[in-house]
PDB file of all heavy atoms in Angstrom:
ATOM      1  N   VAL A 107     -11.229   0.831  19.305  1.00 98.00           N
ATOM      2  CA  VAL A 107      -9.984   0.295  19.855  1.00 98.00           C
ATOM      3  C   VAL A 107      -9.135   1.419  20.455  1.00 98.00           C
ATOM      4  O   VAL A 107      -8.479   1.235  21.484  1.00 98.00           O
ATOM      5  CB  VAL A 107      -9.240  -0.581  18.803  1.00 98.00           C
ATOM      6  CG1 VAL A 107      -8.477   0.230  17.812  1.00 98.00           C
ATOM      7  CG2 VAL A 107      -8.347  -1.603  19.456  1.00 98.00           C
ATOM      8  N   VAL A 108      -9.190   2.606  19.849  1.00 98.00           N
ATOM      9  CA  VAL A 108      -8.424   3.738  20.405  1.00 98.00           C
ATOM     10  C   VAL A 108      -9.053   4.178  21.732  1.00 98.00           C
ATOM     11  O   VAL A 108      -8.353   4.401  22.720  1.00 98.00           O
ATOM     12  CB  VAL A 108      -8.360   4.914  19.408  1.00 98.00           C
ATOM     13  CG1 VAL A 108      -7.773   6.158  20.067  1.00 98.00           C
ATOM     14  CG2 VAL A 108      -7.527   4.522  18.185  1.00 98.00           C
ATOM     15  N   LYS A 109     -10.371   4.243  21.760  1.00 98.00           N
ATOM     16  CA  LYS A 109     -11.069   4.648  22.989  1.00 98.00           C
ATOM     17  C   LYS A 109     -10.750   3.666  24.121  1.00 98.00           C
ATOM     18  O   LYS A 109     -10.456   4.071  25.246  1.00 98.00           O
ATOM     19  CB  LYS A 109     -12.572   4.666  22.708  1.00 98.00           C
ATOM     20  CG  LYS A 109     -13.304   5.774  23.417  1.00 98.00           C
ATOM     21  CD  LYS A 109     -14.783   5.703  23.097  1.00 98.00           C
ATOM     22  CE  LYS A 109     -15.263   7.042  22.612  1.00 98.00           C
ATOM     23  NZ  LYS A 109     -16.653   7.056  22.221  1.00 98.00           N
ATOM     24  N   ALA A 110     -10.772   2.384  23.789  1.00 98.00           N
ATOM     25  CA  ALA A 110     -10.525   1.364  24.819  1.00 98.00           C
ATOM     26  C   ALA A 110      -9.089   1.434  25.346  1.00 98.00           C
ATOM     27  O   ALA A 110      -8.820   1.067  26.488  1.00 98.00           O
ATOM     28  CB  ALA A 110     -10.815  -0.017  24.247  1.00 98.00           C
ATOM     29  N   ASN A 111      -8.168   1.909  24.498  1.00 98.00           N
ATOM     30  CA  ASN A 111      -6.754   1.991  24.899  1.00 98.00           C
ATOM     31  C   ASN A 111      -6.326   3.444  25.158  1.00 98.00           C
ATOM     32  O   ASN A 111      -5.145   3.781  25.014  1.00 98.00           O
ATOM     33  CB  ASN A 111      -5.865   1.374  23.804  1.00 98.00           C
ATOM     34  CG  ASN A 111      -6.080  -0.129  23.679  1.00 98.00           C
ATOM     35  OD1 ASN A 111      -5.921  -0.861  24.654  1.00 98.00           O
ATOM     36  ND2 ASN A 111      -6.455  -0.590  22.496  1.00 98.00           N
ATOM     37  N   ALA A 112      -7.271   4.266  25.562  1.00 98.00           N
ATOM     38  CA  ALA A 112      -7.001   5.706  25.713  1.00 98.00           C
ATOM     39  C   ALA A 112      -5.832   5.987  26.660  1.00 98.00           C
ATOM     40  O   ALA A 112      -5.095   6.967  26.464  1.00 98.00           O
ATOM     41  CB  ALA A 112      -8.258   6.427  26.186  1.00 98.00           C
ATOM     42  N   ALA A 113      -5.639   5.134  27.635  1.00 98.00           N
ATOM     43  CA  ALA A 113      -4.544   5.350  28.600  1.00 98.00           C
ATOM     44  C   ALA A 113      -3.171   5.214  27.925  1.00 98.00           C
ATOM     45  O   ALA A 113      -2.153   5.613  28.496  1.00 98.00           O
ATOM     46  CB  ALA A 113      -4.659   4.361  29.749  1.00 98.00           C
ATOM     47  N   TYR A 114      -3.166   4.637  26.719  1.00 98.00           N
ATOM     48  CA  TYR A 114      -1.903   4.423  25.994  1.00 98.00           C
ATOM     49  C   TYR A 114      -1.699   5.407  24.852  1.00 98.00           C
ATOM     50  O   TYR A 114      -0.744   5.269  24.081  1.00 98.00           O
ATOM     51  CB  TYR A 114      -1.848   2.973  25.480  1.00 98.00           C
ATOM     52  CG  TYR A 114      -1.673   1.999  26.622  1.00 98.00           C
ATOM     53  CD1 TYR A 114      -2.753   1.631  27.427  1.00 98.00           C
ATOM     54  CD2 TYR A 114      -0.423   1.482  26.936  1.00 98.00           C
ATOM     55  CE1 TYR A 114      -2.590   0.772  28.505  1.00 98.00           C
ATOM     56  CE2 TYR A 114      -0.247   0.625  28.005  1.00 98.00           C
ATOM     57  CZ  TYR A 114      -1.330   0.274  28.790  1.00 98.00           C
ATOM     58  OH  TYR A 114      -1.153  -0.557  29.859  1.00 98.00           O
ATOM     59  N   VAL A 115      -2.614   6.364  24.710  1.00 98.00           N
ATOM     60  CA  VAL A 115      -2.383   7.430  23.724  1.00 98.00           C
ATOM     61  C   VAL A 115      -1.439   8.424  24.389  1.00 98.00           C
ATOM     62  O   VAL A 115      -1.784   9.039  25.395  1.00 98.00           O
ATOM     63  CB  VAL A 115      -3.693   8.133  23.318  1.00 98.00           C
ATOM     64  CG1 VAL A 115      -3.403   9.192  22.250  1.00 98.00           C
ATOM     65  CG2 VAL A 115      -4.714   7.128  22.808  1.00 98.00           C
ATOM     66  N   PRO A 116      -0.222   8.579  23.856  1.00 98.00           N
ATOM     67  CA  PRO A 116       0.774   9.415  24.532  1.00 98.00           C
ATOM     68  C   PRO A 116       0.300  10.852  24.742  1.00 98.00           C
ATOM     69  O   PRO A 116      -0.465  11.379  23.932  1.00 98.00           O
ATOM     70  CB  PRO A 116       1.977   9.348  23.575  1.00 98.00           C
ATOM     71  CG  PRO A 116       1.815   8.052  22.854  1.00 98.00           C
ATOM     72  CD  PRO A 116       0.336   7.905  22.667  1.00 98.00           C
ATOM     73  N   PRO A 117       0.731  11.473  25.833  1.00 97.00           N
ATOM     74  CA  PRO A 117       0.300  12.845  26.120  1.00 97.00           C
ATOM     75  C   PRO A 117       0.807  13.832  25.070  1.00 97.00           C
ATOM     76  O   PRO A 117       1.844  13.584  24.430  1.00 97.00           O
ATOM     77  CB  PRO A 117       0.950  13.154  27.471  1.00 97.00           C
ATOM     78  CG  PRO A 117       1.576  11.909  27.964  1.00 97.00           C
ATOM     79  CD  PRO A 117       1.654  10.932  26.839  1.00 97.00           C
ATOM     80  N   TYR A 118       0.094  14.956  24.957  1.00 97.00           N
ATOM     81  CA  TYR A 118       0.509  16.035  24.053  1.00 97.00           C
ATOM     82  C   TYR A 118       1.919  16.507  24.422  1.00 97.00           C
ATOM     83  O   TYR A 118       2.248  16.657  25.604  1.00 97.00           O
ATOM     84  CB  TYR A 118      -0.463  17.211  24.183  1.00 97.00           C
ATOM     85  CG  TYR A 118      -0.045  18.401  23.362  1.00 97.00           C
ATOM     86  CD1 TYR A 118      -0.235  18.406  21.986  1.00 97.00           C
ATOM     87  CD2 TYR A 118       0.582  19.495  23.955  1.00 97.00           C
ATOM     88  CE1 TYR A 118       0.168  19.487  21.219  1.00 97.00           C
ATOM     89  CE2 TYR A 118       0.994  20.580  23.194  1.00 97.00           C
ATOM     90  CZ  TYR A 118       0.790  20.569  21.821  1.00 97.00           C
ATOM     91  OH  TYR A 118       1.207  21.627  21.060  1.00 97.00           O
ATOM     92  N   GLY A 119       2.742  16.683  23.409  1.00 95.00           N
ATOM     93  CA  GLY A 119       4.072  17.241  23.640  1.00 95.00           C
ATOM     94  C   GLY A 119       5.135  16.209  23.985  1.00 95.00           C
ATOM     95  O   GLY A 119       6.303  16.554  24.123  1.00 95.00           O
ATOM     96  N   SER A 120       4.740  14.923  24.083  1.00 95.00           N
ATOM     97  CA  SER A 120       5.722  13.896  24.479  1.00 95.00           C
ATOM     98  C   SER A 120       6.570  13.452  23.287  1.00 95.00           C
ATOM     99  O   SER A 120       7.598  12.801  23.455  1.00 95.00           O
ATOM    100  CB  SER A 120       5.007  12.677  25.063  1.00 95.00           C
ATOM    101  OG  SER A 120       4.188  12.079  24.070  1.00 95.00           O
ATOM    102  N   GLY A 121       6.111  13.746  22.075  1.00 94.00           N
ATOM    103  CA  GLY A 121       6.819  13.300  20.871  1.00 94.00           C
ATOM    104  C   GLY A 121       6.407  11.891  20.457  1.00 94.00           C
ATOM    105  O   GLY A 121       6.803  11.400  19.408  1.00 94.00           O
ATOM    106  N   ALA A 122       5.584  11.228  21.279  1.00 96.00           N
ATOM    107  CA  ALA A 122       5.125   9.871  20.952  1.00 96.00           C
ATOM    108  C   ALA A 122       3.669   9.918  20.479  1.00 96.00           C
ATOM    109  O   ALA A 122       2.958  10.915  20.694  1.00 96.00           O
ATOM    110  CB  ALA A 122       5.259   8.983  22.173  1.00 96.00           C
ATOM    111  N   THR A 123       3.224   8.829  19.827  1.00 98.00           N
ATOM    112  CA  THR A 123       1.850   8.713  19.343  1.00 98.00           C
ATOM    113  C   THR A 123       1.395   7.267  19.534  1.00 98.00           C
ATOM    114  O   THR A 123       2.214   6.389  19.827  1.00 98.00           O
ATOM    115  CB  THR A 123       1.765   9.051  17.831  1.00 98.00           C
ATOM    116  OG1 THR A 123       2.755   8.275  17.145  1.00 98.00           O
ATOM    117  CG2 THR A 123       2.015  10.532  17.562  1.00 98.00           C
ATOM    118  N   LEU A 124       0.104   7.031  19.356  1.00 98.00           N
ATOM    119  CA  LEU A 124      -0.382   5.645  19.400  1.00 98.00           C
ATOM    120  C   LEU A 124      -0.483   5.150  17.963  1.00 98.00           C
ATOM    121  O   LEU A 124      -1.280   5.669  17.180  1.00 98.00           O
ATOM    122  CB  LEU A 124      -1.751   5.564  20.083  1.00 98.00           C
ATOM    123  CG  LEU A 124      -2.228   4.121  20.296  1.00 98.00           C
ATOM    124  CD1 LEU A 124      -1.446   3.447  21.429  1.00 98.00           C
ATOM    125  CD2 LEU A 124      -3.726   4.071  20.601  1.00 98.00           C
ATOM    126  N   TYR A 125       0.341   4.164  17.628  1.00 98.00           N
ATOM    127  CA  TYR A 125       0.294   3.592  16.281  1.00 98.00           C
ATOM    128  C   TYR A 125      -0.829   2.553  16.249  1.00 98.00           C
ATOM    129  O   TYR A 125      -0.965   1.733  17.172  1.00 98.00           O
ATOM    130  CB  TYR A 125       1.647   2.946  15.948  1.00 98.00           C
ATOM    131  CG  TYR A 125       1.744   2.449  14.530  1.00 98.00           C
ATOM    132  CD1 TYR A 125       1.818   3.341  13.470  1.00 98.00           C
ATOM    133  CD2 TYR A 125       1.771   1.087  14.246  1.00 98.00           C
ATOM    134  CE1 TYR A 125       1.902   2.891  12.163  1.00 98.00           C
ATOM    135  CE2 TYR A 125       1.868   0.625  12.949  1.00 98.00           C
ATOM    136  CZ  TYR A 125       1.928   1.533  11.906  1.00 98.00           C
ATOM    137  OH  TYR A 125       2.019   1.080  10.616  1.00 98.00           O
ATOM    138  N   ILE A 126      -1.625   2.613  15.185  1.00 98.00           N
ATOM    139  CA  ILE A 126      -2.790   1.727  15.055  1.00 98.00           C
ATOM    140  C   ILE A 126      -2.541   0.797  13.871  1.00 98.00           C
ATOM    141  O   ILE A 126      -2.267   1.269  12.774  1.00 98.00           O
ATOM    142  CB  ILE A 126      -4.066   2.568  14.814  1.00 98.00           C
ATOM    143  CG1 ILE A 126      -4.235   3.601  15.939  1.00 98.00           C
ATOM    144  CG2 ILE A 126      -5.286   1.676  14.695  1.00 98.00           C
ATOM    145  CD1 ILE A 126      -5.196   4.732  15.576  1.00 98.00           C
ATOM    146  N   ARG A 127      -2.626  -0.478  14.097  1.00 99.00           N
ATOM    147  CA  ARG A 127      -2.316  -1.440  13.032  1.00 99.00           C
ATOM    148  C   ARG A 127      -3.521  -2.320  12.705  1.00 99.00           C
ATOM    149  O   ARG A 127      -3.767  -3.345  13.336  1.00 99.00           O
ATOM    150  CB  ARG A 127      -1.126  -2.298  13.481  1.00 99.00           C
ATOM    151  CG  ARG A 127      -0.738  -3.461  12.569  1.00 99.00           C
ATOM    152  CD  ARG A 127      -0.563  -3.114  11.120  1.00 99.00           C
ATOM    153  NE  ARG A 127       0.508  -2.180  10.815  1.00 99.00           N
ATOM    154  CZ  ARG A 127       1.784  -2.501  10.603  1.00 99.00           C
ATOM    155  NH1 ARG A 127       2.165  -3.754  10.688  1.00 99.00           N
ATOM    156  NH2 ARG A 127       2.663  -1.560  10.298  1.00 99.00           N
ATOM    157  N   PRO A 128      -4.350  -1.930  11.712  1.00 99.00           N
ATOM    158  CA  PRO A 128      -5.390  -2.818  11.199  1.00 99.00           C
ATOM    159  C   PRO A 128      -4.753  -3.850  10.256  1.00 99.00           C
ATOM    160  O   PRO A 128      -3.819  -3.514   9.522  1.00 99.00           O
ATOM    161  CB  PRO A 128      -6.301  -1.877  10.409  1.00 99.00           C
ATOM    162  CG  PRO A 128      -5.849  -0.473  10.764  1.00 99.00           C
ATOM    163  CD  PRO A 128      -4.412  -0.594  11.116  1.00 99.00           C
ATOM    164  N   TYR A 129      -5.255  -5.070  10.273  1.00 99.00           N
ATOM    165  CA  TYR A 129      -4.725  -6.082   9.350  1.00 99.00           C
ATOM    166  C   TYR A 129      -5.763  -7.168   9.156  1.00 99.00           C
ATOM    167  O   TYR A 129      -6.661  -7.337   9.986  1.00 99.00           O
ATOM    168  CB  TYR A 129      -3.394  -6.663   9.834  1.00 99.00           C
ATOM    169  CG  TYR A 129      -3.414  -7.373  11.170  1.00 99.00           C
ATOM    170  CD1 TYR A 129      -3.208  -8.749  11.260  1.00 99.00           C
ATOM    171  CD2 TYR A 129      -3.619  -6.657  12.347  1.00 99.00           C
ATOM    172  CE1 TYR A 129      -3.210  -9.400  12.482  1.00 99.00           C
ATOM    173  CE2 TYR A 129      -3.627  -7.300  13.568  1.00 99.00           C
ATOM    174  CZ  TYR A 129      -3.422  -8.665  13.639  1.00 99.00           C
ATOM    175  OH  TYR A 129      -3.431  -9.299  14.858  1.00 99.00           O
ATOM    176  N   MET A 130      -5.651  -7.887   8.056  1.00 98.00           N
ATOM    177  CA  MET A 130      -6.551  -9.019   7.845  1.00 98.00           C
ATOM    178  C   MET A 130      -5.824 -10.137   7.126  1.00 98.00           C
ATOM    179  O   MET A 130      -4.815  -9.909   6.456  1.00 98.00           O
ATOM    180  CB  MET A 130      -7.812  -8.596   7.102  1.00 98.00           C
ATOM    181  CG  MET A 130      -7.589  -7.958   5.766  1.00 98.00           C
ATOM    182  SD  MET A 130      -9.138  -7.324   5.074  1.00 98.00           S
ATOM    183  CE  MET A 130      -9.820  -8.829   4.409  1.00 98.00           C
ATOM    184  N   PHE A 131      -6.354 -11.347   7.292  1.00 98.00           N
ATOM    185  CA  PHE A 131      -5.642 -12.505   6.731  1.00 98.00           C
ATOM    186  C   PHE A 131      -6.608 -13.653   6.476  1.00 98.00           C
ATOM    187  O   PHE A 131      -7.650 -13.766   7.133  1.00 98.00           O
ATOM    188  CB  PHE A 131      -4.525 -12.957   7.686  1.00 98.00           C
ATOM    189  CG  PHE A 131      -4.963 -13.147   9.103  1.00 98.00           C
ATOM    190  CD1 PHE A 131      -5.479 -14.361   9.531  1.00 98.00           C
ATOM    191  CD2 PHE A 131      -4.863 -12.104  10.009  1.00 98.00           C
ATOM    192  CE1 PHE A 131      -5.891 -14.544  10.847  1.00 98.00           C
ATOM    193  CE2 PHE A 131      -5.287 -12.267  11.333  1.00 98.00           C
ATOM    194  CZ  PHE A 131      -5.794 -13.481  11.751  1.00 98.00           C
ATOM    195  N   GLY A 132      -6.229 -14.511   5.535  1.00 98.00           N
ATOM    196  CA  GLY A 132      -6.977 -15.729   5.238  1.00 98.00           C
ATOM    197  C   GLY A 132      -6.744 -16.724   6.360  1.00 98.00           C
ATOM    198  O   GLY A 132      -5.602 -17.062   6.661  1.00 98.00           O
ATOM    199  N   SER A 133      -7.832 -17.183   6.990  1.00 98.00           N
ATOM    200  CA  SER A 133      -7.660 -17.952   8.223  1.00 98.00           C
ATOM    201  C   SER A 133      -8.037 -19.420   8.115  1.00 98.00           C
ATOM    202  O   SER A 133      -7.726 -20.197   9.016  1.00 98.00           O
ATOM    203  CB  SER A 133      -8.467 -17.297   9.348  1.00 98.00           C
ATOM    204  OG  SER A 133      -9.816 -17.148   8.951  1.00 98.00           O
ATOM    205  N   ASP A 134      -8.708 -19.839   7.038  1.00 98.00           N
ATOM    206  CA  ASP A 134      -9.033 -21.268   6.963  1.00 98.00           C
ATOM    207  C   ASP A 134      -8.066 -21.986   6.013  1.00 98.00           C
ATOM    208  O   ASP A 134      -7.210 -21.359   5.386  1.00 98.00           O
ATOM    209  CB  ASP A 134     -10.509 -21.493   6.583  1.00 98.00           C
ATOM    210  CG  ASP A 134     -10.797 -21.133   5.141  1.00 98.00           C
ATOM    211  OD1 ASP A 134     -10.148 -20.189   4.629  1.00 98.00           O
ATOM    212  OD2 ASP A 134     -11.662 -21.769   4.517  1.00 98.00           O
ATOM    213  N   ALA A 135      -8.200 -23.311   5.957  1.00 98.00           N
ATOM    214  CA  ALA A 135      -7.202 -24.138   5.265  1.00 98.00           C
ATOM    215  C   ALA A 135      -7.312 -24.016   3.746  1.00 98.00           C
ATOM    216  O   ALA A 135      -8.398 -24.162   3.181  1.00 98.00           O
ATOM    217  CB  ALA A 135      -7.377 -25.597   5.685  1.00 98.00           C
ATOM    218  N   VAL A 136      -6.169 -23.729   3.105  1.00 98.00           N
ATOM    219  CA  VAL A 136      -6.083 -23.814   1.637  1.00 98.00           C
ATOM    220  C   VAL A 136      -4.783 -24.530   1.307  1.00 98.00           C
ATOM    221  O   VAL A 136      -3.738 -24.198   1.864  1.00 98.00           O
ATOM    222  CB  VAL A 136      -6.073 -22.433   0.938  1.00 98.00           C
ATOM    223  CG1 VAL A 136      -7.447 -21.836   0.890  1.00 98.00           C
ATOM    224  CG2 VAL A 136      -5.093 -21.476   1.556  1.00 98.00           C
TER     225      VAL A 136
END
Side-chain angles (χ1 to χ4, degrees):
V107 80
V108 171
K109 216 181 232 177
N111 293 303
Y114 290 79
V115 182
Y118 176 76
S120 63
T123 51
L124 187 74
Y125 186 71
I126 304 162
R127 174 50 63 86
Y129 61 112
M130 58 187 279
F131 50 88
S133 54
D134 71 327
V136 283

